[in-house]
Each structure stands twice: as structure tokens, then as C-alpha cells.
Amino acid sequence: MRFHNPDALSLDGVSPHTLLPLPPGRLAVRNTTGPDRFAIGWGRGSVSFPFTVHATDSAARTGVLHTPRGDIRTPAFMPVGTAGTVKALTAEQVAQTGADIILGNTYHLMLRPGGERLARLGGLHRFMGWEKPILTDSGGYQVMSLAQLRKLDADGVTFRSHVDGSMHRLTPERATELQADMIGADIVMQLDECPALPAPRDTVQKAMELSLAWAERCKRAFGQRQAQNLFAIVQGGTDAELRRHSAEALVREGFDGYAIGGLAVGEGHDAMLATLDVTVPHLPSDRPRYLMGVGKPLDIVESVARGIDMFDCVLPTRSGRHGQAWSDAGPINISNARFAEDVSPLDEALDCPASSLYSKAYLHHLFKAGEILGQVLLSWHNLAYYQGLMTRLRAAIGAGRLQDFHDRFAEGVRASGPAAT
Amino acid sequence: MRFHNPDALSLDGVSPHTLLPLPPGRLAVRNTTGPDRFAIGWGRGSVSFPFTVHATDSAARTGVLHTPRGDIRTPAFMPVGTAGTVKALTAEQVAQTGADIILGNTYHLMLRPGGERLARLGGLHRFMGWEKPILTDSGGYQVMSLAQLRKLDADGVTFRSHVDGSMHRLTPERATELQADMIGADIVMQLDECPALPAPRDTVQKAMELSLAWAERCKRAFGQRQAQNLFAIVQGGTDAELRRHSAEALVREGFDGYAIGGLAVGEGHDAMLATLDVTVPHLPSDRPRYLMGVGKPLDIVESVARGIDMFDCVLPTRSGRHGQAWSDAGPINISNARFAEDVSPLDEALDCPASSLYSKAYLHHLFKAGEILGQVLLSWHNLAYYQGLMTRLRAAIGAGRLQDFHDRFAEGVRASGPAAT
């Protein structure tokens, strides 16, 4: 089994620079000696990361995605490290919260520091000092939401940088090269087109079909790799028939994992869940399922119950920078005067200094005084809260009591008011 | 010897809240069993912290100031924690750089969160999660530099808050109460008047005389304390005669330590050093000497050579937030394009993640992208650089080679250009 030989990792399309940040001993994937029901792909040219499901509870499941850079416990929440940093936090602080993997944004990184420069610097892991796995989005979503003067055609998208006004182009091939060879992502996402919702069915269908064509091109560009995976993205808006068509076509093509994209873009909580209900059944049970850009804690709980394994969202860090601290009762605004003399910590049960060592009164003071440390500590706490939630979800699935966990969680959130739902 | 009995610490004017953040075992001062040449004051009502000088080298000396909250190795640099936070850093990060003590600003803290509130919250140590010693300035300097509509009289100073426009008053008694009983500082500074230089001799003399009168009132207000010290501040501008008069009068009165104030306020490097030359000889050798608000690394080296034991300055953290990283060759501006692909760390010899784990290229990127983490890492590195400098100075004095260290350091700084001198 060549994969367990670190030397093999320099073969077949793996950029040497993706390996540099790790000491040699860290490169071998964990040897899964037990029955590995869902590990697939060992006989193929490209090797899917072994995905072991330890327990299921109705549609939900908990397990481990094994990668050369470490295990990802699922369901997993990926903190977003947009521009080579999970905002305001050191890589060590992010790891301390229990995150097994983070997400990087190809759009931001291709503009600054730039793909070629990042490759010369040894890839994103070494650049930012994060040794565990990284998943990168393809850049397509940010081109639509952030870039100026964008022009989409069948071959790709041309856009003006929001940083310096320079012109850039993303194609399926370029997006794959940026992620796999320059950033050195462990999990590469196909380039897709993601329309904002609501949109006419015709628009949604065309975007879905273009995304299918781009998936195939990304797969060809990705080629055969031993230590990196490529995930496809199911599109189709909130239309059950389009989602089914997209999922089935992608599964026929065959990818290492499947994301559900095009949600959390304005369709609302109920429509998102209904779309999961009609999409997940068309995805293989032996590969990870990733719901992109989601979300609030209750969104995550509800999506895990529907069989989702991976999430990413800027919410914990973004709301932390703006003074919101999350808990099971929803977010609190730490600048509120009622916290001025509150000596209790945000959550003393969490194994995170930001959650357990500092009083709300101190955090309140830091935000009133405009101190950077306030942004650091609330971002840190929120990530610890999210990782704690994932730990509790994994335990609930393992114990076969996810429904009970869900019901009590949803009740607590609803009792706390509209901000949390 | 009552001081070694933790129970004694609750006696005589020590606010109980100043003790809360520490486990009981941390309260006892280290038992100095060896010959303790310079420990004084044991027979008095108020107890000076034992100050042990281990070695001298010409006018310079290295030693330890023993406090109930831990030892302060001298010469010492105190990071400035203006508003209850050493800006951008956690208390743990500050401690990791090797800092034995930090400085808090009474002016900022009395305005926000406010003295009475801070007392109710258990004092500054507990509030900010810093267990080691804290020295506070008296607030007088910031009233002059930051407050609006200030009015000085013989009894104190009235001013308008720069935070919310509210009116406040500082007197020697109030400044002492704020520091000793509300903030819970380990080392309390007398209230003084510090004129900007250059100023007419008459102005400087009047400020010096007012400061003398306030020193006496602060001492009376401070009273008898077992676990806190009160330092006086020598004033007198750059006038040798005024400095001598101020120093002699304060030493006659008797304080636990002596600061040299009113420097680094526009007089220039050479005038500052000349003033040290005419002031230090009038201060007792058995008490710590603290040069307030200084300075650049070379300022510190030159002042240590003249017998100074303690320093504070916002420079490392402030310049760090603005993208400047310090080294023996002076500061570099990390945003400079020449660092865009520089894979070397700022200083791999420093035992600080910010100095040794990240490339200049990454730090460059963080500042170009306006990321908070850039400000965190450069602040952290600069403090580690400063603490490393103090470690080297202590070692050089201990080895009797401070002159050599000074000469090589000054040569390196001068070779690097004007920013470092």
C-alpha cells in the first residue's frame, strides 16, 4: 500500500512544496487496521482519503476522514482562513479550539499574495504555519460576490480584482492548478457557478449545467494524485429535480467527496433544509458530504441530522470581531451595558482561554475601548464554541440520541429569540 | 519576619481584592536566604520589596526585585498595558516573551472601566488575567497629553475625559487610592507634574516643586502596606541643579524606589543621557531606579549603562501595530516590497512564535491585507525582542562586559540608519 510510504508522496502530481511544512513522520496517513468499510479508491490512480463511518443515527453519521496531514473528525466545522489567516487568530489558537481542518479562499489568495508567489513560498500550509489539512474553495463564489466587472463565459470567468483593479481569469483548469499545485490544498473544490437566490429556474439550471461541465474539466486537470482529493459541488438551487440531476451526474463521474453549493445565499432556513432533504439521498454514503457556507449553530445541527459531514462559515469569526459571542442560547452582544460588571466567563466548560479565563466584564471593556484583544478573544471563543458543538454532535450520533440533542438545542435557540435562528 | 506569612498580607491597607487572582501559595515572597545586602525597610511599617543586586559593571547593575507576585529581573522592561491590555496580545503571550512586570495607565483605567468598577471587579490583575506584578503610572502624564480642558492647581488637576467628555479630578490622594486600592497595583507611582521640554527654567522648577509636595502627600495617603510599594518621581527637566534638588528631597523623604520622570518628552537623546548622568548619582544604590517612558533599544542600553533598572515604553507594541519589526539593526517596515518573498523569520534565535515561526513574507502579506494577525504578531515579536535585549543586558553586566556589548550594539544601530537611533 504505497500510500503509507512517505516517499510515495512525492510521486504523481503532488507538488513537493505541499509536503515541506511537515516533519517526515507526520506524512504517513494513520494506518487503519480495523475494518474500513468505506475506504475506497485504493486500486485507482487517484486515491480518495479513507472515510470511516463509526456510527449512524437516522440520516446522520459520525466518522473520520483520514488525510496525510491528519484525521478530520466528522461532522466537522472548518474555520474560514480567507486570506491566509483565520482572522485575528494564530494557527496555534485555531488548532487549540479543536479544528481538524480549515478553509482557504482561492479568490483572495490568487489576488494576494498570488498563486505563483504562494507556490514559490512553499504553499499555504507553510506560509501560514498550519500543519493540518486545508480545503480551498475554487474562487467562483467570491468572484460573483466580491469582484468588480466580472464576465462569465462557458470557458471561465474574467474579473477585476477588488484589491488593485488588475484583471484576472479563472477557468476550471486554472482553479485546479491554483488550489492543487500553488496553494497545495489537501481538498480541492471544483470551479462552479453559484447564482444568488431567488433566481429564475432557467438561470439556476444553466448554472447547474455549467458547473457539471466544469466539474469534468476540473477532474481532468486534477489528474492522478496520491495525497490530495477533489470534491464536486452539487448545484440546482432549491429545485429538487435539478439537484437530483446534478448529484447523479457528478456521482457517475466519480469524485472524492461531494459538496452541496448554492445554499445559504438567500433562500432561507426552511428552503435550505428542504433542499438537503431532496439532495443528500442522491449522494453516496461512502464519501463525505460538505454543505458550503453554513452556518448558524442551529443550521448545522439540522443539517447534520440530514447527513451532512462538513461545514464552513465565516460567522464565528466575523461575529466575534463585531462583539458577538455565541452560546447555545444564541449570540450575545458583549458591548451591551448589562455585561459591564458581569464576572462570569462566556463558557467555563469550554477548554479555551477566551471562553473560560476572562470575565464578560473584561470582554465588554475591551470592545468599549476598541481594543484588538477583544476581537481576538471573541473570535477565539466563537470557534471554540463551534468546535464544542461539533464534538457534542459527534457524541450524540455515537450514542444514538441525536434527535433528543436536536430537539433540546432547537428549543433553547428558539427561546433565546430571533438572532439565533 | 511577617512578610513571609501570607496571612500578614491582608493587614494594614492592602485591599483584599488585590490578592484574589493568586493561589495562596503565590503570595509569599521568595525567601532570600543568602546575604541580602540591599533589602531595607523590614523594621518600618511599610515594607520595601527586597532588591538584590547580583552584579555591577561600572554604573550598571543587574539583580532581582522580589515582590509577592513574583521576581522582577533587572534591568527590566515593562510592556505597557494602557487600558487593561498590552495592545493586541493576550496576557499569556506577554508572559511568554519573558516579561516579569507590566505597566498599567491609571488615566485610562480611571476613565474606563473606572476605578470603583475595577475595584468591584477584583482589581486589574484579575480583570486582565495577569498574575505577575503590575506597576501603574499616576495618570498625571496622560492628563497633560490626552485630556481636554485641564486645569492644574496646587491641590491637583481637573480635566475632561477624552472618552466621554465627563469631568474628573486627580489629586495625590485620589491617584494613590486609584492605584493602590482600586487597580491593586504592586508598584504605585506618585502623582507628578511633567512639563513638555523645552520649557523655561521657572516652569520646570515649579513643576518639580509641586511634584515634591505631591510626593509627600502620596506617601501619606499610601500609608503602611506590606505587599505594595510606592515609587517617587524625580523631576527637574534637563537642569542638573533642579534634578539634584528633587532627588535629594525625595530620598530624604524615603520611598521604595525612584523614577526619573520628565524625560523622553522632546529633549533629545543626548540631553536625556546627560540628565541621567547628573541625576542617578543622587539616588540610593539599594533601591530600584526607573526611567519612565524610555525608549528605543539604544536608549535602553545607554541608560542601563548609567545605572537604570526599569523601563517602560509603548514603542514595541505601537510600532508593531504599524508594521515595524525591531532588531539590533533597528526597525524594518514589513510592508516594504523587498519582504514579499523573504522566507526568513524575523529572528529565529528568539523563543517566540511570532519571531521564529513565520516568514517575513507572511508578515508582509498580513500587513498588505490589513489583517489583525499582522498587528498581533509584530507586537508579540517586538516585545520578545525587547525582553531578549534585557536578557542580554543582564548577562553582559553579570559577565562584566557591558561596555563591549554597548559599543557593538551602538555600532550596529548607527550602521542601520537614523530610524534606530
Side-chain angles (χ1 to χ4, degrees):
Chain A
M1 199 179 288
R2 287 198 322 171
F3 197 40
H4 292 126
N5 175 3
D7 295 337
L9 291 171
S10 60
L11 302 174
D12 298 338
V14 178
S15 303
H17 68 252
T18 67
L19 307 178
L20 290 176
L22 289 175
R26 301 286 294 276
L27 289 169
V29 75
R30 194 155 305 185
N31 197 330
T32 51
T33 48
D36 199 349
R37 282 189 297 152
F38 296 132
I40 64 164
W42 293 102
R44 306 188 314 182
S46 194
V47 177
S48 291
F49 296 151
F51 180 47
T52 312
V53 172
H54 295 313
T56 59
D57 185 359
S58 194
R61 67 260 193 90
T62 181
V64 174
L65 184 63
H66 305 275
T67 88
R69 281 203 175 80
D71 287 351
I72 302 164
R73 295 163 293 173
T74 66
F77 179 80
M78 302 185 281
V80 177
T82 306
T85 157
V86 176
K87 284 187 188 295
L89 297 175
T90 66
E92 190 184 2
Q93 288 168 327
V94 175
Q96 190 275 339
T97 65
D100 293 331
I101 176 172
I102 61 172
L103 178 142
N105 284 122
T106 296
Y107 171 81
H108 290 85
L109 294 168
M110 71 184 284
L111 299 182
R112 188 168 52 198
E116 280 73 10
R117 171 165 287 169
L118 199 42
R120 285 193 297 273
L121 292 170
L124 182 58
H125 293 81
R126 164 175 280 193
F127 189 54
M128 67 182 292
W130 174 261
E131 296 189 348
K132 297 205 248 185
I134 295 176
L135 177 149
T136 41
D137 65 12
S138 66
Y141 178 81
Q142 270 82 22
V143 167
M144 294 304 158
S145 58
L146 292 179
Q148 304 155 335
L149 199 98
R150 55 188 176 270
K151 189 168 175 301
L152 185 76
D153 57 62
D155 184 55
V157 57
T158 301
F159 61 95
R160 187 185 293 282
S161 162
H162 77 287
V163 172
D164 62 5
S166 57
M167 295 304 296
H168 297 264
R169 184 161 174 78
L170 263 185
T171 62
E173 292 74 20
R174 177 64 175 166
T176 305
E177 178 189 32
L178 279 162
Q179 295 175 77
D181 298 329
M182 295 173 170
I183 296 172
D186 302 279
I187 300 177
V188 169
M189 299 304 300
Q190 71 150 100
L191 187 66
D192 64 336
E193 190 202 346
C194 171
L197 298 180
R201 188 176 195 275
D202 184 54
T203 304
V204 174
Q205 179 168 357
K206 279 187 176 146
M208 181 271 284
E209 284 168 355
L210 184 64
S211 297
L212 279 182
W214 285 1
E216 198 183 327
R217 284 168 58 187
C218 285
K219 189 179 177 184
R220 205 177 313 128
F222 189 75
Q224 299 191 346
R225 290 166 188 269
Q226 308 295 315
Q228 291 170 295
N229 271 192
L230 175 66
F231 280 21
I233 303 174
V234 179
Q235 287 288 357
T238 55
D239 186 298
E241 181 52 29
L242 295 180
R243 285 283 173 181
R244 184 191 60 76
H245 179 84
S246 174
E248 288 181 353
L250 292 169
V251 173
R252 269 196 307 277
E253 184 74 26
F255 289 86
D256 302 313
Y258 298 89
I260 301 175
L263 292 178
V265 292
E267 76 283 0
H269 181 74
D270 294 341
M272 182 186 85
L273 296 180
T275 305
L276 294 185
D277 286 332
V278 298
T279 306
V280 172
H282 303 291
L283 297 177
S285 60
D286 61 355
R287 291 283 86 213
R289 305 162 186 150
Y290 160 31
L291 178 56
M292 304 184 79
V294 172
K296 291 187 180 182
L298 183 58
D299 295 332
I300 291 177
V301 173
E302 306 250 35
S303 302
V304 163
R306 286 162 174 81
I308 300 297
D309 306 303
M310 299 169 68
F311 301 87
D312 82 278
C313 191
V314 297
L315 186 61
T317 42
R318 178 175 292 168
S319 61
R321 292 198 305 284
H322 291 89
Q324 284 193 313
W326 283 85
S327 75
D328 283 0
I332 59 170
N333 189 335
I334 200 70
S335 299
N336 191 296
R338 71 190 160 104
F339 299 116
E341 297 198 8
D342 186 336
V343 295
S344 68
L346 289 171
D347 187 344
E348 59 192 339
L350 284 175
D351 181 25
C352 170
S355 312
S356 58
L357 292 188
Y358 301 94
S359 64
K360 295 191 187 82
Y362 183 60
L363 300 169
H364 170 87
H365 166 74
L366 293 176
F367 271 88
K368 296 298 277 188
E371 289 287 345
I372 288 172
L373 185 60
Q375 300 186 300
V376 170
L377 292 178
L378 255 58
S379 299
W380 198 6
H381 160 75
N382 283 344
L383 285 187
Y385 170 76
Y386 266 66
Q387 295 300 337
L389 174 62
M390 305 317 288
T391 300
R392 289 186 290 159
L393 283 167
R394 293 192 292 264
I397 297 167
R401 49 175 181 74
L402 182 64
Q403 183 67 47
D404 180 51
F405 181 88
H406 166 275
D407 293 349
R408 278 190 290 166
F409 192 88
E411 188 180 8
V413 167
R414 286 194 197 98
S416 73
T421 57
Chain B
M1 199 180 286
R2 286 199 325 172
F3 198 39
H4 290 127
N5 174 5
D7 294 338
L9 291 171
S10 60
L11 302 174
D12 298 339
V14 178
S15 302
H17 69 253
T18 66
L19 308 177
L20 290 176
L22 289 177
R26 300 287 293 277
L27 290 169
V29 76
R30 194 155 306 184
N31 198 329
T32 52
T33 49
D36 199 349
R37 283 189 297 152
F38 295 133
I40 63 163
W42 294 103
R44 305 188 314 180
S46 195
V47 177
S48 291
F49 296 151
F51 180 47
T52 313
V53 172
H54 296 311
T56 59
D57 185 359
S58 193
R61 67 259 193 90
T62 180
V64 174
L65 183 63
H66 306 277
T67 88
R69 280 205 175 79
D71 286 351
I72 302 164
R73 295 163 293 175
T74 65
F77 179 80
M78 301 184 282
V80 176
T82 305
T85 158
V86 177
K87 284 187 187 296
L89 298 176
T90 66
E92 191 184 2
Q93 288 168 327
V94 175
Q96 189 275 338
T97 64
D100 293 332
I101 176 174
I102 61 171
L103 178 142
N105 285 121
T106 296
Y107 171 81
H108 290 85
L109 293 169
M110 71 184 283
L111 298 182
R112 189 171 50 199
E116 280 73 9
R117 170 165 287 168
L118 199 43
R120 284 193 297 273
L121 292 170
L124 183 58
H125 293 81
R126 164 175 280 192
F127 189 55
M128 67 182 294
W130 174 263
E131 297 190 347
K132 298 205 248 184
I134 296 176
L135 177 149
T136 40
D137 65 11
S138 66
Y141 179 80
Q142 271 81 21
V143 168
M144 294 302 158
S145 58
L146 293 178
Q148 303 155 335
L149 199 96
R150 53 185 178 272
K151 189 168 176 303
L152 184 76
D153 57 64
D155 185 55
V157 57
T158 301
F159 60 96
R160 187 186 293 282
S161 162
H162 77 287
V163 173
D164 62 4
S166 57
M167 295 304 295
H168 296 263
R169 182 159 174 82
L170 263 185
T171 61
E173 292 74 19
R174 176 66 175 167
T176 305
E177 177 189 33
L178 278 163
Q179 295 176 78
D181 298 328
M182 295 174 170
I183 296 171
D186 302 279
I187 299 177
V188 169
M189 300 303 300
Q190 71 149 100
L191 186 66
D192 65 335
E193 191 203 345
C194 170
L197 299 179
R201 188 176 195 275
D202 184 53
T203 303
V204 173
Q205 178 168 358
K206 279 188 176 143
M208 181 270 285
E209 285 169 354
L210 183 63
S211 297
L212 278 183
W214 285 0
E216 197 184 326
R217 284 170 56 188
C218 286
K219 189 178 176 187
R220 204 176 316 128
F222 188 75
Q224 299 191 346
R225 290 167 187 268
Q226 308 296 315
Q228 291 170 295
N229 271 191
L230 174 67
F231 281 21
I233 304 175
V234 178
Q235 288 288 356
T238 55
D239 187 295
E241 181 52 27
L242 295 180
R243 287 282 174 182
R244 184 192 59 75
H245 179 85
S246 173
E248 288 181 352
L250 291 170
V251 173
R252 267 196 306 276
E253 184 73 27
F255 290 87
D256 302 313
Y258 298 88
I260 301 175
L263 292 177
V265 292
E267 76 283 0
H269 181 74
D270 293 342
M272 182 184 85
L273 296 180
T275 304
L276 294 185
D277 286 333
V278 298
T279 305
V280 171
H282 303 290
L283 297 176
S285 60
D286 60 356
R287 293 282 85 213
R289 305 164 187 149
Y290 161 30
L291 178 56
M292 304 184 80
V294 172
K296 290 187 181 183
L298 184 57
D299 294 331
I300 290 177
V301 173
E302 307 250 35
S303 303
V304 163
R306 286 161 173 82
I308 300 296
D309 305 302
M310 299 168 69
F311 300 87
D312 81 280
C313 191
V314 296
L315 187 62
T317 44
R318 178 176 291 168
S319 62
R321 291 198 305 284
H322 290 90
Q324 283 193 315
W326 283 85
S327 76
D328 283 0
I332 60 170
N333 188 337
I334 201 68
S335 298
N336 193 296
R338 71 190 159 105
F339 299 117
E341 298 197 7
D342 186 336
V343 296
S344 68
L346 289 171
D347 187 344
E348 58 193 339
L350 283 176
D351 181 26
C352 170
S355 313
S356 58
L357 291 187
Y358 301 94
S359 65
K360 294 191 187 81
Y362 182 59
L363 300 169
H364 170 86
H365 165 74
L366 293 177
F367 270 88
K368 298 298 277 187
E371 290 287 347
I372 289 173
L373 185 59
Q375 300 185 300
V376 170
L377 292 177
L378 255 59
S379 299
W380 198 4
H381 160 74
N382 283 344
L383 285 188
Y385 169 76
Y386 266 66
Q387 295 300 337
L389 175 61
M390 304 318 289
T391 299
R392 289 186 289 157
L393 283 167
R394 292 191 293 262
I397 296 166
R401 48 173 184 75
L402 181 64
Q403 183 68 47
D404 180 52
F405 180 89
H406 166 275
D407 293 349
R408 278 189 292 164
F409 192 89
E411 187 179 8
V413 167
R414 285 196 196 95
S416 71
T421 57

